[in-house]
Amino acid sequence: MNLKTLAEKPERLTGGHRACAGCSAPVVARQVLMAAEHPVVVGCATSCLEVVTTIFPFTAWKVPYIHCAFENVAATISGVETAYRALRKRGELDRDIRFVAFGGDGGTYDIGLQSLSGALERGHRFLYICYDNEGYMNTGIQRSGATPRGAQTTTSPAGKTTPGKTERRKNLTDCVIAHHIPYVAQAVPTLWKDFMTKVQRGLDAPGPAFINVLSPCTLGWGFDPSLTMEIARLAVETCFWPLYEVVDGRYRLTYRPKEKRPFREWMEKQERFRHLFTDANQPLLDQLQAEVDQEWEGLLRQCEDSKEVVE
Amino acid sequence: MNRMVVLTGNEVEAEAMRQINPHVVAAYPITPQTEIIQLFTGYVVDGRVDTELIRVESEHSAMSACIGAAAAGCRVMTATSSQGLALMWEVLYIAASLRLPIVMAVVNRALSGNINIHCDHSDSMGARDAGWVQLFSSNVQEAYDTMIQAVRVAEQACLPVMVMTDGFLTSHEAEPVLLYPDDQVRAFIGPYRPGYALLDVDHPITVGPLDFHDYYFEHKRSQAAAITDAAGVIDQVAREFEQAFGSRYHAVEPYRLHDATVGIVAIGSTCGTAEEAVDAARSRGIAAGLLKLRVFRPFPLPQIVAGLRHVHAVAVMDRSDGMAGWGGPVGVEIKAALYGLAERPTVIDYVYGLGGREITVEDLVEVCEELHGIADGQDGGEPVRYLGVREEGAIHEPENARREA
């Protein structure tokens, strides 16, 4: 995979859609479509990505696309994938097609968790991409199960008594790993080769595949639109968002930061954490760093157990 | 060769599904529907159908998977009851709006709360505005015949279709039923050729876009036209069904109504009871008749008006309460249907049978007698009546009002 051949591939998500300047979601979608070697059918949960790409009578999608509702993209794509098998079985179709579902963190961590879990457990062959921007950005920046502790949103504002969201984010990637599906990974669009390689592995997996992609939101996180990719990368360098994959239960770190940066550096780049940097909040900042360390060290142990420590 | 056998409603619906051999079935267990899917699963695992079965984790996902599979270009079926239908509510509308010809057996069961597993129509009546064609069956033969017709109706109208049976009544009671040969059923429904399909990857389509004030209304208008036009499709399919299998179905079916002065309107298994009650009332000198409502969506307005315009008093049997403060949904719609007549029958809405409460021939004879009094010129009295309920102790002052007193 190199830039030259990628640049020659036909565009499958056109420009002219209505995503914000600096939005990472269309970048994620384009990287997925560009990595796919086969024809794909896309399902999309109600989300920013759905809203900005399909305002009737326009569509940015040059591949077959279905949006049904917020919480059910996994169930919907499982129906499409089953239809594919049904038609192939009867000799009514002989194309080799792959299936991709996109959901934001709200549609995946929260309201769509049941539908996702069911589709994973049933073993449909599809790739689920969670573009995780850590909140309900489409409805105007509300907290979700993916919003980090301490982050300010419109439903977890920093007030006189509470410093932003008071609860710890759930680790959805761990939840998905617990389904024992063939392929699970985390990625960021900044490290595009890493991400697109994972997309190809996911699409080649013999069953369900899931990639959780940290997808910075310029409005919701509060940063300059030119910094999207840098902020995604810094999440990796602080080990808040480790890049790894789990293939048939074996963990492998796919990128190891040369020097683990303090978590604070990532937070300092974003308006949503700005209220945290006071003396009074130092215990909370320490706690946030400790939580990052705990999850990172846990992941390293998993990789060591799998004898897949990084290059 | 046709076969006369004794089967339950659930058994014949599963049999119809076996004969139809849909590409995809996605379903979730719920009483009293479960048996349909159990039987059908048996056909799948024994290779008697080619269907791919999705054993989903909820009814919401069942309908969502049906939507995905239908949009992909497949013939799709499912079945549910009560809470399952209620859980599907959001996506029922999407299935209809996307014009997907999904066929769903709905075995009617009361909605919670309190939880109850027996028959009333609150589940399907709650879904009456979802944009689905709604076909009710009053006995096992009708359930079987309607499932077969529903596939054609759905695919010709490009709309999803619900086929209703009464839970634990039609669904679980065995009756003699005539089954048709597989090849004749398959010839009748024919192959499925979708107009658009997600799996036609060379012709990509976007399904379910964001649709604002500049187009949404036109899309709803065309959907409204489709459900209106479905009346003609239902009738055409019924005519072809008669040619193929001999039985003629109508949107509404009158029984001894042409010379009646009082009429009962009923849906589902109560129609059989009502026919007996009409006979009994006539033997007591009351000119009673029955209008059986088979199609509820699209609402068969002209047939209802034609059927009831000459009678003096009508009892609408409502097996659900609309909780609207003025009776059940069928009563409200029948009254609205008759409003255009210069001389209208008096309409009494009888809410009955909730949560499986039994309805007897004698109950309905009494209804005929009440109607007879009204038709005779007596005061119409209460326009909404509750039949077969213990009123004493059922109607309370609010708890806090009593405490203060």
Side-chain angles (χ1 to χ4, degrees), chain B residues 286-366:
Chain B
I286 299 171
L290 167 70
L291 190 71
K292 179 164 123 186
L293 219 54
R294 175 174 172 256
V295 178
F296 192 69
R297 288 288 182 267
F299 192 69
L301 181 76
Q303 295 93 326
I304 286 168
V305 173
L308 296 175
R309 64 183 310 147
H310 64 281
V311 300
H312 300 148
V314 174
V316 179
M317 306 308 300
D318 245 315
R319 204 159 194 160
S320 64
D321 190 314
M323 297 299 168
W326 67 314
V330 189
V332 168
E333 297 210 16
I334 295 285
K335 283 178 214 169
L338 299 176
Y339 182 76
L341 294 173
E343 279 187 50
R344 295 185 285 271
T346 301
V347 180
I348 308 294
D349 190 10
Y350 286 86
V351 177
Y352 80 101
L354 302 192
R357 179 65 53 87
E358 195 180 13
I359 179 95
T360 64
V361 172
E362 197 48 45
D363 291 332
L364 291 172
V365 172
E366 282 173 27

Side-chain angles (χ1 to χ4, degrees), chain B residues 56-70:
Chain B
V56 283
E57 84 297 335
S58 73
E59 289 90 353
H60 194 283
S61 285
M63 186 47 59
S64 302
C66 285
I67 287 169

Side-chain angles (χ1 to χ4, degrees), chain B residues 103-265:
Chain B
V103 172
M104 172 159 65
V106 176
V107 184
N108 287 130
R109 161 183 155 182
L111 283 178
S112 299
N114 297 333
I115 189 167
N116 177 294
I117 56 167
H118 293 284
C119 177
D120 71 34
H121 295 161
S122 51
D123 50 2
S124 48
M125 284 301 157
R128 70 189 183 278
D129 297 339
W132 285 57
V133 171
Q134 291 190 313
L135 307 175
F136 283 84
S137 355
S138 69
N139 59 41
V140 173
Q141 185 72 54
E142 286 184 22
Y144 174 66
D145 292 354
T146 306
M147 285 290 275
I148 295 167
Q149 292 174 63
V151 174
R152 287 280 305 277
V153 170
E155 291 169 11
Q156 273 174 243
C158 287
L159 285 172
V161 178
M162 292 181 200
V163 176
M164 263 64 80
T165 50
D166 281 352
F168 287 119
L169 299 168
T170 320
S171 71
H172 282 68
E173 287 172 3
E175 291 175 6
V177 56
L178 193 64
L179 301 180
Y180 317 119
D182 291 0
D183 56 345
Q184 284 183 31
V185 172
R186 287 178 189 173
F188 179 76
I189 60 169
Y192 177 46
R193 306 210 186 287
Y196 301 92
L198 287 170
L199 291 172
D200 183 3
V201 289
D202 297 326
H203 302 95
I205 53 169
T206 289
V207 177
L210 182 64
D211 202 13
F212 276 144
H213 40 70
D214 46 356
Y215 286 98
Y216 179 89
F217 200 173
E218 282 72 24
H219 292 143
K220 285 293 139 187
R221 181 66 190 88
S222 71
Q223 191 187 342
I227 194 88
T228 305
D229 294 347
V233 175
I234 293 165
D235 197 54
Q236 187 204 329
V237 170
R239 283 172 202 277
E240 290 179 34
F241 186 84
E242 182 188 22
Q243 283 165 9
F245 303 109
S247 301
R248 176 72 167 104
Y249 283 84
H250 299 274
V252 303
E253 288 168 8
Y255 175 75
R256 302 187 78 170
L257 194 60
H258 66 284
D259 63 343
T261 55
V262 302
I264 292 175
V265 177

Side-chain angles (χ1 to χ4, degrees), chain A residues 44-49 69-74 102-116 128-147 165 169-170 172 210 212-213 215 221 241:
Chain A
C44 193
T46 308
S47 60
C48 283
L49 182 64
F70 196 0
E71 72 280 52
N72 63 353
V73 66
F102 289 98
D105 51 286
T108 311
Y109 283 69
D110 288 354
I111 199 171
L113 184 59
Q114 174 185 318
S115 161
L116 173 66
Y128 194 105
I129 304 286
C130 175
Y131 78 97
D132 177 359
N133 55 26
E134 304 194 322
Y136 293 89
M137 303 319 189
N138 196 25
T139 43
I141 313 161
Q142 290 81 35
R143 79 181 290 288
S144 77
T147 307
K165 187 185 173 192
R169 65 181 282 280
K170 76 172 90 161
L172 180 68
F210 176 89
N212 205 352
V213 189
S215 306
W221 296 12
W241 196 262

Side-chain angles (χ1 to χ4, degrees), chain A residues 32 74 77 81 98-103 108 116 119-130 173 176-177 179-186 195 197-213 245-248:
Chain A
V32 170
I77 205 77
E81 186 266 352
R98 300 296 155 85
F99 302 91
V100 181
F102 289 98
T108 311
L116 173 66
L120 297 178
E121 185 268 338
R122 292 193 298 274
H124 298 277
R125 190 179 184 193
F126 74 114
L127 169 62
Y128 194 105
I129 304 286
C130 175
T173 311
V176 171
I177 291 166
H179 287 74
H180 306 293
I181 60 172
Y183 190 83
V184 183
Q186 285 197 164
F195 176 34
T197 304
K198 287 169 178 168
V199 169
Q200 290 182 338
R201 286 182 186 160
L203 288 171
D204 287 342
F210 176 89
I211 305 177
N212 205 352
V213 189
E245 62 186 6
V246 182
V247 184
D248 297 324

